[in-house]
């Protein structure tokens, strides 16, 4: 092979890794900012309508993707509702279940269930598809999960309803990530091509479900008025729009990571976001003083993430290197 072609291949590999790293950074930054903006929206402004907010997030993401498609950023490909219906349902249930889990559980139980997604995903892929994660990657996941647990879990307050919702949230999240990966590979689609059709349908499904989960016409909480009686302010509208923009970045970057790597890798990024969110909450909001346990947990998690990422990139580059050597 001529040297020029080798150089181009290497440049392509570097560019691919840089784009993957870029989407990881976008996800790491936008996700905690989304959590903090929603925390302000719910806690300070008492806009306690989680399904309405989530439906708005999905709608803005769908509109953003449609705009990109019209501008020629990517080519739209038609997908029938029958094809994407399981993905739409999983996507529509995943976020509301997570919010309900947070509402009825302590922070400790909520974080434990989030951490449970990664090993559950590995086990599910093994049982259903016989997919075995390399032993080195399994070892790398141990400090990630343990470190996240140490840095986030401070209390355990189990109850039947809260735990059931949390487990359903885990199942919905796993189904969402696995089915997305399946459609992408079987239909040879780009990530954005799938999201272009999934997001509008998910938004419609959630919008129709809002009266069941949110206080739209009547109120069931002392600090919440019915949505039809909510007094909108300019700041509230700004914050809701910011939340939608951040959700667009979170959704796009999250699925880009899955598309370029794997669902397991994305969940490693989720653990990094968990640590970053906790750290930001400590230093920005000062709700709780930082402890030695927090610092140890964060450090262990970050080291695990670095180790896992290095192994994953080495394994990705190995087949390409062998192919070049054969040529």
């Amino acid at each position: 092979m001529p040297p020029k072609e080798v150089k181009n291949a290497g440049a392509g590999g570097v560019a691919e890794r840089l784009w993957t790293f870029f989407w990881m950074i976008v996800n790491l930054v936008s996700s905690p900012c989304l959590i903090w903006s929603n925390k302000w929206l719910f806690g300070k402004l008492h806009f306690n309508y989680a399904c309405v907010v989530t439906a708005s997030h999905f709608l803005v993401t769908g509109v953003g993707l449609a705009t990109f498609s019209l501008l020629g950023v990517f080519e739209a490909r038609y997908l029938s509702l029958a094809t994407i219906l399981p993905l739409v349902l999983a996507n529509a249930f995943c976020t509301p279940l997570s919010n309900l889990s947070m509402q009825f559980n302590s922070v400790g139980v909520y974080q434990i269930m989030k951490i449970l997604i990664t090993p559950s995903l590995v086990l599910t892929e093994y049982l259903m598809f016989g997919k075995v994660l390399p032993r080195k990657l399994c070892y790398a996941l141990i400090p990630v999960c343990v470190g996240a647990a140490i840095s986030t879990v401070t209390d355990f307050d189990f109850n039947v309803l809260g735990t059931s919702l949390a487990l359903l949230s885990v199942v919905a999240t796993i189904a969402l990530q696995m089915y997305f990966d399946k459609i992408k590979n079987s239909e040879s689609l780009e990530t954005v091509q799938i999201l272009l059709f999934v997001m509008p349908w998910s938004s419609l499904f959630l919008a129709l479900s809002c009266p069941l989960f949110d206080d739209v016409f009547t109120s069931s909480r002392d600090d919440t008025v019915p949505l039809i009686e909510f007094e909108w302010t300019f700041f509230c509208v700004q914050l809701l729009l910011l939340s939608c923009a951040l959700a667009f970045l979170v959704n796009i970057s999250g699925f880009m990571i899955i598309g370029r790597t794997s669902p397991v890798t994305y969940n490693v990024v989720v653990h990094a976001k968990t640590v970053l969110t906790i750290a930001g909450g400590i230093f920005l909001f000062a709700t709780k003083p930082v402890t030695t346990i927090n610092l140890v947990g964060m450090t262990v998690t970050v080291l695990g993430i670095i180790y896992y990422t290095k192994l994953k990139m080495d394994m990705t580059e190995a087949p390409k290197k062998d192919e070049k050597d054969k040529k």
Side-chain angles (χ1 to χ4, degrees), residues 209-220:
S209 304
C210 284
L212 299 176
F213 299 102
D214 286 342
D215 295 326
V216 177
F217 302 107
T218 60
S219 179
S220 59

Side-chain angles (χ1 to χ4, degrees), residues 237-259:
V237 173
Q238 283 184 312
L239 196 58
L240 181 59
L241 291 176
L242 174 62
S243 176
C244 290
L246 290 169
F248 173 73
L249 292 176
V250 170
N251 286 322
I252 293 300
S253 59
F255 283 106
M256 282 294 185
I257 294 170
I258 295 175

Side-chain angles (χ1 to χ4, degrees), residues 6-64:
V6 173
K7 182 179 179 180
N8 289 340
V14 172
E16 185 70 18
R17 293 174 70 171
L18 287 176
W19 273 114
T20 301
F21 181 72
F22 168 77
W23 287 117
M24 286 183 174
I25 295 299
V26 170
N27 196 268
L28 283 170
V29 173
S30 60
S31 186
C33 290
L34 174 62
I35 293 173
W36 297 329
S37 64
N38 285 347
K39 180 180 178 181
W40 192 282
L41 195 63
F42 295 144
K44 300 291 185 180
L45 303 182
H46 303 292
F47 193 82
N48 298 314
Y49 315 104
C51 278
V52 173
V53 173
T54 306
S56 301
H57 289 173
F58 291 162
L59 178 61
V60 169
T61 300
V63 171

Side-chain angles (χ1 to χ4, degrees), residues 193-210:
Q193 292 174 322
I194 301 175
L195 291 180
L196 177 61
F197 285 89
V198 169
M199 287 302 175
W201 281 111
S202 298
S203 178
L204 176 61
F205 185 86
L206 267 182
L208 295 175
S209 304
C210 284

Side-chain angles (χ1 to χ4, degrees), residues 64-290:
L65 288 172
T67 302
F68 283 177
S69 177
L70 291 174
L71 293 175
V73 177
F74 67 92
E75 180 184 357
R77 285 182 54 183
Y78 175 76
L79 291 172
S80 66
L81 180 59
T83 301
I84 63 174
L85 184 59
L87 194 57
V88 169
L89 294 177
N91 194 41
F93 276 110
C94 185
T95 303
L97 281 172
S98 180
N99 291 333
L100 287 172
S101 171
M102 184 62 176
Q103 181 179 347
F104 289 98
N105 283 314
S106 66
V107 174
V109 175
Y110 176 75
Q111 295 292 356
I112 277 290
M113 291 302 175
K114 286 180 64 177
I115 295 168
L116 186 62
I117 291 174
T118 303
S120 297
L121 180 61
V122 173
L123 179 61
T124 302
E125 288 184 333
Y126 171 73
L127 294 176
M128 294 184 63
F129 308 110
K131 184 177 179 180
V132 180
L133 195 69
R135 186 173 298 180
K136 289 184 178 180
L137 292 182
C138 289
Y139 291 156
L141 287 178
I142 294 175
V144 173
C145 295
V146 172
I150 292 174
S151 62
T152 60
V153 177
T154 56
D155 62 297
F156 297 90
D157 185 15
F158 288 97
N159 63 81
V160 176
L161 177 60
T163 304
S164 299
L165 289 170
L167 290 173
L168 285 174
S169 176
V170 171
V171 173
T173 302
I174 291 174
L176 171 64
Q177 295 179 7
M178 291 181 61
Y179 196 76
F180 181 91
D181 207 34
K182 178 182 178 182
I183 290 181
K184 180 179 181 298
N185 294 328
S186 63
E187 302 290 337
S188 300
L189 296 168
E190 296 293 332
T191 302
V192 289
Q193 292 174 322
I194 301 175
L195 291 180
L196 177 61
F197 285 89
V198 169
M199 287 302 175
W201 281 111
S202 298
S203 178
L204 176 61
F205 185 86
L206 267 182
L208 295 175
S209 304
C210 284
L212 299 176
F213 299 102
D214 286 342
D215 295 326
V216 177
F217 302 107
T218 60
S219 179
S220 59
R221 298 173 56 177
D222 295 335
D223 61 342
T224 304
V225 298
L227 179 61
I228 57 175
E229 300 177 9
F230 184 79
E231 295 184 7
W232 292 87
T233 64
F234 182 63
F235 179 67
C236 181
V237 173
Q238 283 184 312
L239 196 58
L240 181 59
L241 291 176
L242 174 62
S243 176
C244 290
L246 290 169
F248 173 73
L249 292 176
V250 170
N251 286 322
I252 293 300
S253 59
F255 283 106
M256 282 294 185
I257 294 170
I258 295 175
R260 290 172 175 271
T261 55
S262 71
V264 175
T265 301
Y266 174 68
N267 279 285
V268 172
V269 178
V270 169
H271 293 319
K273 291 190 296 184
T274 301
V275 173
L276 186 60
T277 303
I278 296 297
I282 291 173
F283 294 108
L284 294 179
F285 297 99
T287 55
K288 289 184 179 180
V290 63

